[in-house]
Amino acid sequence: MFITSETLLKVRYSETDQMGVVYHGNYAQYLELARIDWLSRLGISYKSMEENGVMLPVFTLDFKFKKSAFFDDELIVKTSLRKIPTAKITFDFEIFNKNNELLTTASTTLVFVDSKTRKPIPCPSYLLEKIKNY
């Protein structure tokens, strides 16, 4: 694994069910926040990528839920780049609570796509440069 970052999140009431447990569908949003934070820590704005014609749609998304997260929990999302990106980029995630208990593991693969043609493109050179110089 390459570059790893940690993103802190707090579970909001609206993200839980009647039992106070985080609804599983909200985990995809947690990963998205962590990916954007990962890029930001490299000095890359996802908004700027999109403005420059690069989109990153999700190709695969995989979760393994080990323990529940609850309303008001403080979560740590560890995001790791699995390998140097090509036309796609793969991240591995671990989500912990404040007691350092592993709650969830996940991975996601996204594809670099030209926003006009909607066709896959190679990873932008500026992102590869940041990764290689990290």
Side-chain angles (χ1 to χ4, degrees):
M1 284 191 265
F2 295 94
I3 308 164
T4 299
S5 70
E6 291 186 2
T7 303
L8 304 177
L9 303 171
K10 189 158 185 165
V11 175
R12 297 172 293 189
Y13 184 76
S14 63
E15 297 167 346
T16 63
D17 59 21
Q18 284 185 319
M19 297 176 290
V21 174
V22 173
Y23 171 67
H24 71 275
N26 287 309
Y27 284 87
Q29 291 179 43
Y30 296 165
L31 301 189
E32 180 178 50
L33 291 167
R35 283 193 312 270
I36 291 169
D37 186 47
W38 183 91
L39 282 168
S40 178
R41 290 168 189 257
L42 274 183
I44 296 174
S45 158
Y46 185 67
K47 182 178 179 180
S48 176
M49 284 180 67
E50 286 189 334
E51 290 170 350
N52 288 301
V54 178
M55 297 169 49
L56 272 173
V58 173
F59 180 65
T60 64
L61 182 60
D62 180 51
F63 287 98
K64 290 182 182 59
F65 299 100
K66 299 175 181 297
K67 287 184 153 191
S68 297
F70 299 93
F71 167 61
D72 213 36
D73 275 356
E74 294 174 358
L75 304 179
I76 301 162
V77 183
K78 291 186 180 178
T79 306
S80 300
L81 179 65
R82 185 180 293 174
K83 61 184 180 178
I84 299 292
T86 54
K88 60 186 178 183
I89 188 168
T90 302
F91 294 98
D92 294 310
F93 303 89
E94 294 177 312
I95 301 176
F96 297 87
N97 63 17
K98 66 181 174 186
N99 297 325
N100 207 33
E101 296 174 297
L102 179 61
L103 306 180
T104 305
T105 60
S107 66
T108 186
T109 299
L110 301 94
V111 178
F112 294 97
V113 171
D114 182 292
S115 62
K116 290 182 181 150
T117 66
R118 307 282 191 200
K119 301 234 185 252
I121 58 173
C123 176
S125 58
Y126 58 85
L127 177 54
L128 285 173
E129 194 64 31
K130 294 271 189 181
I131 291 168
K132 289 176 184 173
N133 290 327
Y134 187 81

